[in-house]
Amino acid sequence: MSVSTGTPLLPTYARFPVTFVDGDGSWLIADDGRRYLDLIAGIAVVSLGHCHPAPLEAAQAQLERLWHVSNLYSTQPMEELAERLSDRFGGAQAFFCNSGTEAVEAAIKWARKATGKTELVALEGSFHGRTMGALSITGQPSKRAPFEPLIPGARFATPETLTDVVGADTAAIVVEPVQGEGGVRPLTDSTLEQARELADEFGAMLVFDEVQTGVGRTGEFFAWQRSGVRPDALTLAKGLANGLPVGALLVRDGAPTALVPGDHASTFGGNPVACAAACAVVDTIDDDLLAHVRDVGALFAEALPDVRGAGLLLAVELNRPAGPVAHAALEQGLLVGTAGETALRITPPLTISREEVQHGIALLREVIGQ
Ligand code: PLP
């Protein structure tokens, strides 16, 4: 294991002391040749596993044809991805960008313009990104405080206080169907239904931030399909292109389009290579793979105490600081993340095999001490 020190990088991350050079399915290989079982998958990003042949071949083929033309022109991969996502959603139009936080920014601008209102209601404990707009609706005061003043009009609610906070001035209610960074906390169906009803009552847009939950992570293609509560718009990023940067805002057919040429843009958004990889990812996530996600997700819940989440977006509550446990896991050859202060986060590739899950559980039991 080599530790990078003195590298000229701004210290925005506390990195684990390991440098990876190769990836292979659910495994990562460090610069000293050691293999690690990857139960974090680049924080819920490498959905089909490292170097999966479908997105690899699609991206390689596209790299040899066309890299970039900007959004002044159309490209086939972008159009094909929009078609695929619309089909999966049941009718929607897409705006493409490069990350989750950018998708949330697009959603905020769209909702404000669509409603002519400015207030944004989000949930306490939520996470929507680090740019100024997305940070403004992130319900974690410690993340917002150093950067205030943020954009005005953000209001926070709990599921219990949603009815008190949403009102005539609300442009959008923005929620993660399963709160990810905030600790892997699924919202109940009744909270999602209530958000839908309040949005309808007050003419607000219901936006689901599916940056982490989308693209099969919870065992459905979109997490909203678990509850059946359809949002007016939805954000995607992380798992969409298996690790190439792409983000998307989907606006359902029938909701106001609102944005016109000149309102919003992204130079790199809809990049042909990222979109070609994303098309391959979407095509690979079929009913069998979604059933597999639900099955192997349940194995963790059966084998370990205090597991919450959905599909392969899971947290193991430790009731003690999770950081040292994640470091101990690394020493055992296992990558896991943390969710909040006291839980481990488990978001392996959706393709992880049952044997790999069993191996991961055995290592986890050792480091947790169960
Ligand atoms: N929204 C949600 C629900 C997320 O989980 C994240 C990242 O973890 C973001 C937005 C921000 O995405 P990105 O880091 O790609 O900007």
Side-chain angles (χ1 to χ4, degrees):
M1 237 187 246
S2 79
V3 184
S4 307
T5 49
T7 320
L9 290 165
L10 274 175
T12 53
Y13 290 95
R15 291 187 172 83
F16 286 89
V18 59
T19 300
F20 291 112
V21 292
D22 284 300
D24 174 18
S26 304
W27 296 84
L28 283 167
I29 297 100
D31 55 357
D32 61 0
R34 185 170 182 198
R35 289 170 68 83
Y36 293 78
L37 181 62
D38 186 2
L39 294 193
I40 190 74
I43 321 182
V45 167
V46 189
S47 15
L48 302 183
H50 300 281
C51 297
H52 187 282
L56 177 63
E57 281 161 24
Q60 263 171 354
Q62 188 59 42
L63 269 173
E64 287 174 18
R65 295 189 68 187
L66 183 68
W67 288 26
H68 177 82
V69 294
S70 88
N71 279 295
L72 297 178
Y73 313 97
S74 280
T75 59
Q76 287 168 347
M78 178 175 68
E79 291 181 351
E80 286 166 12
L81 181 58
E83 293 288 351
R84 280 165 169 77
L85 293 176
S86 176
D87 285 350
R88 294 288 186 132
F89 187 85
Q93 292 183 313
F95 169 82
F96 291 117
C97 49
N98 313 287
S99 65
T101 200
E102 284 176 63
V104 173
E105 294 296 325
I108 292 172
K109 287 179 71 175
W110 165 78
R112 281 188 163 186
K113 189 135 187 270
T115 60
K117 301 189 271 184
T118 54
E119 266 190 24
L120 302 161
V121 175
L123 290 180
E124 287 176 15
S126 61
F127 183 85
H128 297 294
R130 304 284 190 160
T131 50
M132 297 300 265
L135 184 60
S136 302
I137 57 166
T138 285
Q140 301 183 41
S142 64
K143 291 191 169 58
R144 292 198 311 270
F147 304 102
E148 287 172 341
L150 296 168
I151 65 166
R155 303 193 62 194
F156 295 98
T158 63
E160 294 71 34
T161 62
L162 208 48
T163 38
D164 304 328
V165 178
V166 175
D169 296 329
T170 306
I173 305 170
V174 185
V175 295
E176 301 156 86
V178 180
Q179 289 193 339
E181 305 297 305
V184 186
R185 297 181 190 283
L187 299 189
T188 62
D189 288 357
S190 64
T191 299
L192 297 173
E193 280 157 16
Q194 191 185 36
R196 179 70 273 171
E197 282 162 19
L198 287 167
D200 291 342
E201 184 181 344
F202 291 104
M205 298 295 122
L206 180 62
V207 179
F208 283 176
D209 182 349
E210 293 228 25
V211 164
Q212 189 152 173
T213 57
V215 201
R217 176 60 48 193
T218 67
E220 298 291 344
F221 190 83
F222 298 115
W224 69 261
Q225 293 167 305
R226 301 176 69 237
S227 65
V229 176
R230 254 165 80 93
D232 299 307
L234 172 151
T235 54
L236 294 174
K238 285 183 179 287
L240 186 52
N242 214 47
L244 290 182
V246 66
L249 168 68
L250 300 186
V251 174
R252 76 165 167 82
D253 288 350
T257 314
L259 300 176
V260 297
D263 276 344
H264 199 51
S266 165
T267 296
F268 290 121
N271 172 268
V273 180
C275 287
C279 284
V281 169
V282 173
D283 290 347
T284 306
I285 299 181
D286 57 13
D287 287 346
D288 288 347
L289 183 54
L290 292 170
H292 173 79
V293 170
R294 297 191 292 270
D295 285 353
V296 294
L299 294 178
F300 285 103
E302 282 158 20
L304 296 166
D306 224 345
V307 173
R308 61 175 181 262
L312 283 171
L313 174 53
L314 298 169
V316 183
E317 183 57 56
L318 301 174
N319 295 313
R320 60 186 152 111
V325 180
H327 278 269
L330 183 75
E331 281 169 24
Q332 298 301 315
L334 183 70
L335 301 191
V336 287
T338 56
E341 292 297 312
T342 59
L344 292 179
R345 184 162 26 160
I346 299 181
T347 57
L350 308 182
T351 49
I352 190 168
S353 70
R354 297 180 80 85
E355 295 69 36
E356 287 166 340
V357 169
Q358 298 297 4
H359 179 62
I361 288 171
L363 290 176
L364 271 173
R365 281 175 174 280
E366 266 176 48
V367 291
I368 295 172
Q370 293 291 327

